[in-house]
Amino acid sequence: MMGDRLRFHSVIRNTGPKPVEGLTTWINLLEVDPGNEQPMDLEDWSAHKAVTRAELPPGKTLESEWLMRLIKRGVYRVVICVASRNRRRVFTSPTVEFRVTQKPVVQSRRILPVAFGVPLMIGLIMLLRRFCPYRVSETTDTLLMLCVAFFFFLMSRRSGAHPLGG
Amino acid sequence: MNPVFLIARKEAGRLLLDQWALAWLLAFSAVLSGFALLLVSNAELSLLDNAQVVYMMAGTVMSAGAIVAVILGCDAFAGERERCTLTPLLLAPVSSRELLLGKALGVSAAWGAAYLLAMPYLWAVGAGGQDLVQAIVYLALFGTPVVLGFGCLAMAFSAKTGNVITSLVTSLIILLLAASPLLIGPGLRGTVIGRMFDALNPFAAALNTFDAVVIDNETFTKQLVRLTVTFVWLGITFAVAYCAARRPRFR
């Protein structure tokens, strides 16, 4: 689901007889939704995009962890690529496919009560101050604010969202 | 009662307890409501878009808070002078430091009210997304020194010029320049001058932190330089305001 994090693990082994110099490993993300196939810009998906190593001796391995945050719904494939300074060929891993499901991030049932409720509350307080004596209006201000706070609490329970978190 | 708190209570009372004082909060909430309602029309946002919305909301709150702080700061000394109440205030057994601190606390109270008012809006647009708590915490941590710094700068102009209009126009122009990162995207600020401006501008430091934390999920330690910029800004503007408030123009 959007907002979740996926962790990919890659292992690169030098099976040749010579050391590999100037090794660069990077992660690629490809969207494969029908009609919307495109490579994705990883900027917001992952802060960890490449790993470099000066030399990988024969028989040694380079293990890397790739953490990715799921930003947008769709079907994606991840592939790890490896290139070295001395060889022109780029090696790629098998692809891993995953689906990101939609998560409602902006809900009208959360926004509408706030967008109309807050100005209404301030307007009511101003009216109360206009028509009630100071001490009475002070008490009603407090009561009104408590009612509004309780209303927001109920709304947050109804919308299933924690008041301070996703 | 301590004269600092006495002055601060009077300033805060003018803003929050007077019958029509809440009109500015009503206008402030109308701005945030309009912005939030625009989002309802977009039924499907990606998580990134959602983080962008929280970032924009945080930037809007800080900008509006800075405008309020500038207006209050301009009224602090010049307004008293124009209402002919500055001379009696200076003759009262209150030091210039206490007077300045009281006025600054009044500005802080206004920023506190604006910040609290923004909470339901931030929750409404951000609760389904990512890192809402971080946005709220960083808005307090970075927004407060930026907003209060502009309040202090306006107080300095107010004390030196003794004229509300002059100090208001000057302060607003400086605020407009500082808030330019809201209008000019990072791509256009990528030049050497743009990067230097970003590095020194407290407003840009706070905005870039909101971007880095809310959108890019960066850690607090990476924001320490920017936090230093905002607190240096507050320190400098307070020092300037203190120097100006020691000999305000009262004739």
PDB file of all heavy atoms in Angstrom, chain A residues 1-3 31 33 36 38 40 45 69-76 98-102, chain B residues 44-49:
ATOM      1  N   MET A   1       0.841  -1.195   0.000  1.00  0.00           N
ATOM      2  CA  MET A   1       0.000   0.000   0.000  1.00  0.00           C
ATOM      3  C   MET A   1       0.884   1.256   0.000  1.00  0.00           C
ATOM      4  O   MET A   1       2.001   1.225   0.522  1.00  0.00           O
ATOM      5  CB  MET A   1      -0.895  -0.021   1.242  1.00  0.00           C
ATOM      6  CG  MET A   1      -1.851   1.141   1.308  1.00  0.00           C
ATOM      7  SD  MET A   1      -2.865   1.128   2.782  1.00  0.00           S
ATOM      8  CE  MET A   1      -4.134   0.004   2.296  1.00  0.00           C
ATOM      9  N   MET A   2       0.386   2.328  -0.587  1.00  0.00           N
ATOM     10  CA  MET A   2       1.126   3.582  -0.604  1.00  0.00           C
ATOM     11  C   MET A   2       1.574   3.968   0.797  1.00  0.00           C
ATOM     12  O   MET A   2       0.809   3.869   1.751  1.00  0.00           O
ATOM     13  CB  MET A   2       0.224   4.692  -1.161  1.00  0.00           C
ATOM     14  CG  MET A   2       0.142   4.724  -2.663  1.00  0.00           C
ATOM     15  SD  MET A   2      -1.241   5.720  -3.246  1.00  0.00           S
ATOM     16  CE  MET A   2      -0.990   7.261  -2.406  1.00  0.00           C
ATOM     17  N   GLY A   3       2.806   4.391   0.909  1.00  0.00           N
ATOM     18  CA  GLY A   3       3.340   4.785   2.209  1.00  0.00           C
ATOM     19  C   GLY A   3       4.163   3.690   2.856  1.00  0.00           C
ATOM     20  O   GLY A   3       4.987   3.973   3.717  1.00  0.00           O
ATOM     21  N   GLU A  31       7.614   1.234 -14.193  1.00  0.00           N
ATOM     22  CA  GLU A  31       6.165   1.059 -14.058  1.00  0.00           C
ATOM     23  C   GLU A  31       5.682   0.235 -15.252  1.00  0.00           C
ATOM     24  O   GLU A  31       6.064   0.529 -16.393  1.00  0.00           O
ATOM     25  CB  GLU A  31       5.452   2.421 -14.032  1.00  0.00           C
ATOM     26  CG  GLU A  31       3.969   2.272 -13.744  1.00  0.00           C
ATOM     27  CD  GLU A  31       3.259   3.606 -13.544  1.00  0.00           C
ATOM     28  OE1 GLU A  31       3.916   4.654 -13.626  1.00  0.00           O
ATOM     29  OE2 GLU A  31       2.038   3.567 -13.309  1.00  0.00           O
ATOM     30  N   ASP A  33       2.232  -0.738 -15.694  1.00  0.00           N
ATOM     31  CA  ASP A  33       0.773  -0.695 -15.879  1.00  0.00           C
ATOM     32  C   ASP A  33       0.460  -0.611 -17.362  1.00  0.00           C
ATOM     33  O   ASP A  33       1.118   0.169 -18.077  1.00  0.00           O
ATOM     34  CB  ASP A  33       0.199   0.546 -15.176  1.00  0.00           C
ATOM     35  CG  ASP A  33      -0.033   0.304 -13.713  1.00  0.00           C
ATOM     36  OD1 ASP A  33      -0.582  -0.755 -13.393  1.00  0.00           O
ATOM     37  OD2 ASP A  33       0.352   1.162 -12.905  1.00  0.00           O
ATOM     38  N   ASN A  36       0.820   2.548 -19.536  1.00  0.00           N
ATOM     39  CA  ASN A  36       1.549   3.559 -18.749  1.00  0.00           C
ATOM     40  C   ASN A  36       2.959   3.074 -18.423  1.00  0.00           C
ATOM     41  O   ASN A  36       3.499   3.377 -17.364  1.00  0.00           O
ATOM     42  CB  ASN A  36       0.757   3.835 -17.464  1.00  0.00           C
ATOM     43  CG  ASN A  36       1.094   5.188 -16.878  1.00  0.00           C
ATOM     44  OD1 ASN A  36       1.529   6.082 -17.602  1.00  0.00           O
ATOM     45  ND2 ASN A  36       0.919   5.330 -15.588  1.00  0.00           N
ATOM     46  N   GLN A  38       6.686   2.999 -18.095  1.00  0.00           N
ATOM     47  CA  GLN A  38       7.697   4.061 -18.076  1.00  0.00           C
ATOM     48  C   GLN A  38       8.694   3.814 -16.949  1.00  0.00           C
ATOM     49  O   GLN A  38       8.347   3.241 -15.918  1.00  0.00           O
ATOM     50  CB  GLN A  38       7.027   5.420 -17.869  1.00  0.00           C
ATOM     51  CG  GLN A  38       6.205   5.482 -16.605  1.00  0.00           C
ATOM     52  CD  GLN A  38       5.600   6.850 -16.374  1.00  0.00           C
ATOM     53  OE1 GLN A  38       6.098   7.851 -16.831  1.00  0.00           O
ATOM     54  NE2 GLN A  38       4.495   6.888 -15.640  1.00  0.00           N
ATOM     55  N   MET A  40      10.725   4.995 -13.757  1.00  0.00           N
ATOM     56  CA  MET A  40      10.344   5.961 -12.721  1.00  0.00           C
ATOM     57  C   MET A  40      11.572   6.710 -12.222  1.00  0.00           C
ATOM     58  O   MET A  40      12.656   6.140 -12.102  1.00  0.00           O
ATOM     59  CB  MET A  40       9.705   5.228 -11.526  1.00  0.00           C
ATOM     60  CG  MET A  40       8.439   4.491 -11.860  1.00  0.00           C
ATOM     61  SD  MET A  40       7.131   5.571 -12.456  1.00  0.00           S
ATOM     62  CE  MET A  40       6.766   6.541 -11.004  1.00  0.00           C
ATOM     63  N   TRP A  45      11.267   8.042  -4.212  1.00  0.00           N
ATOM     64  CA  TRP A  45      11.026   6.670  -3.784  1.00  0.00           C
ATOM     65  C   TRP A  45      12.150   6.163  -2.896  1.00  0.00           C
ATOM     66  O   TRP A  45      11.931   5.378  -1.986  1.00  0.00           O
ATOM     67  CB  TRP A  45      10.899   5.743  -5.005  1.00  0.00           C
ATOM     68  CG  TRP A  45       9.700   6.000  -5.849  1.00  0.00           C
ATOM     69  CD1 TRP A  45       9.450   7.084  -6.615  1.00  0.00           C
ATOM     70  CD2 TRP A  45       8.572   5.142  -6.008  1.00  0.00           C
ATOM     71  NE1 TRP A  45       8.247   6.958  -7.255  1.00  0.00           N
ATOM     72  CE2 TRP A  45       7.691   5.769  -6.895  1.00  0.00           C
ATOM     73  CE3 TRP A  45       8.237   3.883  -5.492  1.00  0.00           C
ATOM     74  CZ2 TRP A  45       6.482   5.199  -7.278  1.00  0.00           C
ATOM     75  CZ3 TRP A  45       7.038   3.315  -5.876  1.00  0.00           C
ATOM     76  CH2 TRP A  45       6.161   3.973  -6.748  1.00  0.00           C
ATOM     77  N   ARG A  69      10.379   3.589  -0.555  1.00  0.00           N
ATOM     78  CA  ARG A  69       9.068   3.999  -0.036  1.00  0.00           C
ATOM     79  C   ARG A  69       8.092   4.023  -1.204  1.00  0.00           C
ATOM     80  O   ARG A  69       8.421   4.546  -2.271  1.00  0.00           O
ATOM     81  CB  ARG A  69       9.193   5.392   0.578  1.00  0.00           C
ATOM     82  CG  ARG A  69       7.979   5.830   1.353  1.00  0.00           C
ATOM     83  CD  ARG A  69       8.191   7.188   1.932  1.00  0.00           C
ATOM     84  NE  ARG A  69       8.558   8.154   0.895  1.00  0.00           N
ATOM     85  CZ  ARG A  69       8.915   9.404   1.145  1.00  0.00           C
ATOM     86  NH1 ARG A  69       8.989   9.838   2.364  1.00  0.00           N
ATOM     87  NH2 ARG A  69       9.219  10.227   0.158  1.00  0.00           N
ATOM     88  N   LEU A  70       6.930   3.466  -0.996  1.00  0.00           N
ATOM     89  CA  LEU A  70       5.959   3.343  -2.094  1.00  0.00           C
ATOM     90  C   LEU A  70       5.128   4.627  -2.176  1.00  0.00           C
ATOM     91  O   LEU A  70       4.401   4.968  -1.246  1.00  0.00           O
ATOM     92  CB  LEU A  70       5.069   2.118  -1.867  1.00  0.00           C
ATOM     93  CG  LEU A  70       5.855   0.829  -1.615  1.00  0.00           C
ATOM     94  CD1 LEU A  70       4.917  -0.349  -1.404  1.00  0.00           C
ATOM     95  CD2 LEU A  70       6.806   0.535  -2.766  1.00  0.00           C
ATOM     96  N   ILE A  71       5.256   5.309  -3.298  1.00  0.00           N
ATOM     97  CA  ILE A  71       4.693   6.656  -3.442  1.00  0.00           C
ATOM     98  C   ILE A  71       3.358   6.657  -4.186  1.00  0.00           C
ATOM     99  O   ILE A  71       2.439   7.372  -3.811  1.00  0.00           O
ATOM    100  CB  ILE A  71       5.694   7.559  -4.189  1.00  0.00           C
ATOM    101  CG1 ILE A  71       6.985   7.731  -3.367  1.00  0.00           C
ATOM    102  CG2 ILE A  71       5.102   8.906  -4.525  1.00  0.00           C
ATOM    103  CD1 ILE A  71       6.842   8.553  -2.117  1.00  0.00           C
ATOM    104  N   LYS A  72       3.270   5.863  -5.248  1.00  0.00           N
ATOM    105  CA  LYS A  72       2.106   5.974  -6.141  1.00  0.00           C
ATOM    106  C   LYS A  72       1.598   4.586  -6.497  1.00  0.00           C
ATOM    107  O   LYS A  72       2.399   3.650  -6.629  1.00  0.00           O
ATOM    108  CB  LYS A  72       2.547   6.706  -7.408  1.00  0.00           C
ATOM    109  CG  LYS A  72       1.442   7.177  -8.287  1.00  0.00           C
ATOM    110  CD  LYS A  72       2.039   7.875  -9.504  1.00  0.00           C
ATOM    111  CE  LYS A  72       0.948   8.159 -10.524  1.00  0.00           C
ATOM    112  NZ  LYS A  72       1.530   8.547 -11.811  1.00  0.00           N
ATOM    113  N   ARG A  73       0.293   4.478  -6.680  1.00  0.00           N
ATOM    114  CA  ARG A  73      -0.264   3.168  -6.987  1.00  0.00           C
ATOM    115  C   ARG A  73       0.143   2.716  -8.398  1.00  0.00           C
ATOM    116  O   ARG A  73       0.400   3.538  -9.282  1.00  0.00           O
ATOM    117  CB  ARG A  73      -1.778   3.179  -6.838  1.00  0.00           C
ATOM    118  CG  ARG A  73      -2.504   3.791  -8.005  1.00  0.00           C
ATOM    119  CD  ARG A  73      -3.957   3.456  -7.894  1.00  0.00           C
ATOM    120  NE  ARG A  73      -4.677   3.977  -9.033  1.00  0.00           N
ATOM    121  CZ  ARG A  73      -5.979   3.815  -9.193  1.00  0.00           C
ATOM    122  NH1 ARG A  73      -6.686   3.188  -8.301  1.00  0.00           N
ATOM    123  NH2 ARG A  73      -6.575   4.303 -10.247  1.00  0.00           N
ATOM    124  N   GLY A  74       0.156   1.411  -8.600  1.00  0.00           N
ATOM    125  CA  GLY A  74       0.531   0.879  -9.907  1.00  0.00           C
ATOM    126  C   GLY A  74       1.255  -0.445  -9.758  1.00  0.00           C
ATOM    127  O   GLY A  74       1.422  -0.956  -8.647  1.00  0.00           O
ATOM    128  N   VAL A  75       1.654  -0.998 -10.911  1.00  0.00           N
ATOM    129  CA  VAL A  75       2.429  -2.241 -10.915  1.00  0.00           C
ATOM    130  C   VAL A  75       3.849  -1.881 -11.347  1.00  0.00           C
ATOM    131  O   VAL A  75       4.040  -1.187 -12.346  1.00  0.00           O
ATOM    132  CB  VAL A  75       1.822  -3.279 -11.874  1.00  0.00           C
ATOM    133  CG1 VAL A  75       2.591  -4.594 -11.798  1.00  0.00           C
ATOM    134  CG2 VAL A  75       0.351  -3.509 -11.533  1.00  0.00           C
ATOM    135  N   TYR A  76       4.812  -2.342 -10.566  1.00  0.00           N
ATOM    136  CA  TYR A  76       6.202  -1.937 -10.805  1.00  0.00           C
ATOM    137  C   TYR A  76       7.128  -3.150 -10.836  1.00  0.00           C
ATOM    138  O   TYR A  76       6.816  -4.205 -10.269  1.00  0.00           O
ATOM    139  CB  TYR A  76       6.666  -0.997  -9.684  1.00  0.00           C
ATOM    140  CG  TYR A  76       5.875   0.268  -9.610  1.00  0.00           C
ATOM    141  CD1 TYR A  76       4.756   0.363  -8.774  1.00  0.00           C
ATOM    142  CD2 TYR A  76       6.207   1.381 -10.366  1.00  0.00           C
ATOM    143  CE1 TYR A  76       4.007   1.522  -8.701  1.00  0.00           C
ATOM    144  CE2 TYR A  76       5.471   2.551 -10.294  1.00  0.00           C
ATOM    145  CZ  TYR A  76       4.368   2.624  -9.465  1.00  0.00           C
ATOM    146  OH  TYR A  76       3.621   3.764  -9.391  1.00  0.00           O
ATOM    147  N   PHE A  98       5.989  -5.979  -8.129  1.00  0.00           N
ATOM    148  CA  PHE A  98       5.098  -5.735  -6.980  1.00  0.00           C
ATOM    149  C   PHE A  98       4.019  -4.733  -7.384  1.00  0.00           C
ATOM    150  O   PHE A  98       4.177  -3.979  -8.340  1.00  0.00           O
ATOM    151  CB  PHE A  98       5.873  -5.238  -5.755  1.00  0.00           C
ATOM    152  CG  PHE A  98       6.621  -3.958  -5.952  1.00  0.00           C
ATOM    153  CD1 PHE A  98       6.029  -2.736  -5.664  1.00  0.00           C
ATOM    154  CD2 PHE A  98       7.923  -3.960  -6.427  1.00  0.00           C
ATOM    155  CE1 PHE A  98       6.705  -1.553  -5.836  1.00  0.00           C
ATOM    156  CE2 PHE A  98       8.616  -2.779  -6.613  1.00  0.00           C
ATOM    157  CZ  PHE A  98       8.010  -1.575  -6.316  1.00  0.00           C
ATOM    158  N   ARG A  99       2.936  -4.794  -6.639  1.00  0.00           N
ATOM    159  CA  ARG A  99       1.794  -3.906  -6.913  1.00  0.00           C
ATOM    160  C   ARG A  99       1.598  -2.979  -5.717  1.00  0.00           C
ATOM    161  O   ARG A  99       1.616  -3.435  -4.573  1.00  0.00           O
ATOM    162  CB  ARG A  99       0.535  -4.750  -7.124  1.00  0.00           C
ATOM    163  CG  ARG A  99      -0.740  -3.922  -7.357  1.00  0.00           C
ATOM    164  CD  ARG A  99      -1.934  -4.858  -7.459  1.00  0.00           C
ATOM    165  NE  ARG A  99      -1.850  -5.705  -8.633  1.00  0.00           N
ATOM    166  CZ  ARG A  99      -2.282  -5.353  -9.841  1.00  0.00           C
ATOM    167  NH1 ARG A  99      -2.838  -4.182 -10.024  1.00  0.00           N
ATOM    168  NH2 ARG A  99      -2.168  -6.185 -10.854  1.00  0.00           N
ATOM    169  N   VAL A 100       1.439  -1.702  -5.998  1.00  0.00           N
ATOM    170  CA  VAL A 100       1.162  -0.724  -4.942  1.00  0.00           C
ATOM    171  C   VAL A 100      -0.323  -0.367  -5.018  1.00  0.00           C
ATOM    172  O   VAL A 100      -0.797   0.055  -6.077  1.00  0.00           O
ATOM    173  CB  VAL A 100       2.025   0.551  -5.108  1.00  0.00           C
ATOM    174  CG1 VAL A 100       1.763   1.529  -3.985  1.00  0.00           C
ATOM    175  CG2 VAL A 100       3.500   0.191  -5.178  1.00  0.00           C
ATOM    176  N   THR A 101      -1.016  -0.552  -3.913  1.00  0.00           N
ATOM    177  CA  THR A 101      -2.458  -0.245  -3.923  1.00  0.00           C
ATOM    178  C   THR A 101      -2.697   1.179  -3.428  1.00  0.00           C
ATOM    179  O   THR A 101      -1.908   1.726  -2.658  1.00  0.00           O
ATOM    180  CB  THR A 101      -3.249  -1.238  -3.048  1.00  0.00           C
ATOM    181  OG1 THR A 101      -2.652  -1.268  -1.758  1.00  0.00           O
ATOM    182  CG2 THR A 101      -3.241  -2.625  -3.645  1.00  0.00           C
ATOM    183  N   GLN A 102      -3.800   1.724  -3.875  1.00  0.00           N
ATOM    184  CA  GLN A 102      -4.163   3.115  -3.558  1.00  0.00           C
ATOM    185  C   GLN A 102      -4.501   3.239  -2.074  1.00  0.00           C
ATOM    186  O   GLN A 102      -5.110   2.369  -1.476  1.00  0.00           O
ATOM    187  CB  GLN A 102      -5.376   3.521  -4.407  1.00  0.00           C
ATOM    188  CG  GLN A 102      -5.954   4.889  -4.115  1.00  0.00           C
ATOM    189  CD  GLN A 102      -5.057   6.014  -4.601  1.00  0.00           C
ATOM    190  OE1 GLN A 102      -4.194   5.812  -5.444  1.00  0.00           O
ATOM    191  NE2 GLN A 102      -5.249   7.192  -4.066  1.00  0.00           N
TER     192      GLN A 102
ATOM    193  N   GLU B  44      -7.827  11.811  -6.378  1.00  0.00           N
ATOM    194  CA  GLU B  44      -6.768  10.820  -6.249  1.00  0.00           C
ATOM    195  C   GLU B  44      -5.392  11.491  -6.271  1.00  0.00           C
ATOM    196  O   GLU B  44      -4.944  11.997  -7.292  1.00  0.00           O
ATOM    197  CB  GLU B  44      -6.852   9.807  -7.394  1.00  0.00           C
ATOM    198  CG  GLU B  44      -5.888   8.670  -7.225  1.00  0.00           C
ATOM    199  CD  GLU B  44      -5.973   7.691  -8.380  1.00  0.00           C
ATOM    200  OE1 GLU B  44      -7.099   7.313  -8.738  1.00  0.00           O
ATOM    201  OE2 GLU B  44      -4.933   7.329  -8.917  1.00  0.00           O
ATOM    202  N   LEU B  45      -4.776  11.533  -5.135  1.00  0.00           N
ATOM    203  CA  LEU B  45      -3.432  12.099  -5.055  1.00  0.00           C
ATOM    204  C   LEU B  45      -2.463  10.981  -4.705  1.00  0.00           C
ATOM    205  O   LEU B  45      -2.813  10.047  -3.995  1.00  0.00           O
ATOM    206  CB  LEU B  45      -3.372  13.148  -3.948  1.00  0.00           C
ATOM    207  CG  LEU B  45      -4.080  14.466  -4.197  1.00  0.00           C
ATOM    208  CD1 LEU B  45      -4.049  15.305  -2.936  1.00  0.00           C
ATOM    209  CD2 LEU B  45      -3.403  15.223  -5.303  1.00  0.00           C
ATOM    210  N   SER B  46      -1.251  11.092  -5.211  1.00  0.00           N
ATOM    211  CA  SER B  46      -0.250  10.110  -4.801  1.00  0.00           C
ATOM    212  C   SER B  46       0.258  10.495  -3.416  1.00  0.00           C
ATOM    213  O   SER B  46       0.000  11.596  -2.933  1.00  0.00           O
ATOM    214  CB  SER B  46       0.900  10.078  -5.788  1.00  0.00           C
ATOM    215  OG  SER B  46       1.739  11.180  -5.570  1.00  0.00           O
ATOM    216  N   LEU B  47       1.004   9.580  -2.819  1.00  0.00           N
ATOM    217  CA  LEU B  47       1.534   9.882  -1.492  1.00  0.00           C
ATOM    218  C   LEU B  47       2.471  11.078  -1.554  1.00  0.00           C
ATOM    219  O   LEU B  47       2.521  11.889  -0.647  1.00  0.00           O
ATOM    220  CB  LEU B  47       2.287   8.647  -0.977  1.00  0.00           C
ATOM    221  CG  LEU B  47       2.576   8.631   0.509  1.00  0.00           C
ATOM    222  CD1 LEU B  47       1.305   8.467   1.300  1.00  0.00           C
ATOM    223  CD2 LEU B  47       3.545   7.530   0.838  1.00  0.00           C
ATOM    224  N   LEU B  48       3.190  11.187  -2.665  1.00  0.00           N
ATOM    225  CA  LEU B  48       4.106  12.311  -2.847  1.00  0.00           C
ATOM    226  C   LEU B  48       3.321  13.612  -2.926  1.00  0.00           C
ATOM    227  O   LEU B  48       3.685  14.608  -2.313  1.00  0.00           O
ATOM    228  CB  LEU B  48       4.923  12.098  -4.122  1.00  0.00           C
ATOM    229  CG  LEU B  48       5.894  13.214  -4.462  1.00  0.00           C
ATOM    230  CD1 LEU B  48       6.936  13.345  -3.378  1.00  0.00           C
ATOM    231  CD2 LEU B  48       6.547  12.949  -5.789  1.00  0.00           C
ATOM    232  N   ASP B  49       2.223  13.594  -3.696  1.00  0.00           N
ATOM    233  CA  ASP B  49       1.384  14.792  -3.795  1.00  0.00           C
ATOM    234  C   ASP B  49       0.872  15.194  -2.420  1.00  0.00           C
ATOM    235  O   ASP B  49       0.793  16.361  -2.088  1.00  0.00           O
ATOM    236  CB  ASP B  49       0.188  14.527  -4.717  1.00  0.00           C
ATOM    237  CG  ASP B  49       0.634  14.295  -6.142  1.00  0.00           C
ATOM    238  OD1 ASP B  49       1.677  14.831  -6.509  1.00  0.00           O
ATOM    239  OD2 ASP B  49      -0.050  13.555  -6.867  1.00  0.00           O
TER     240      ASP B  49
END
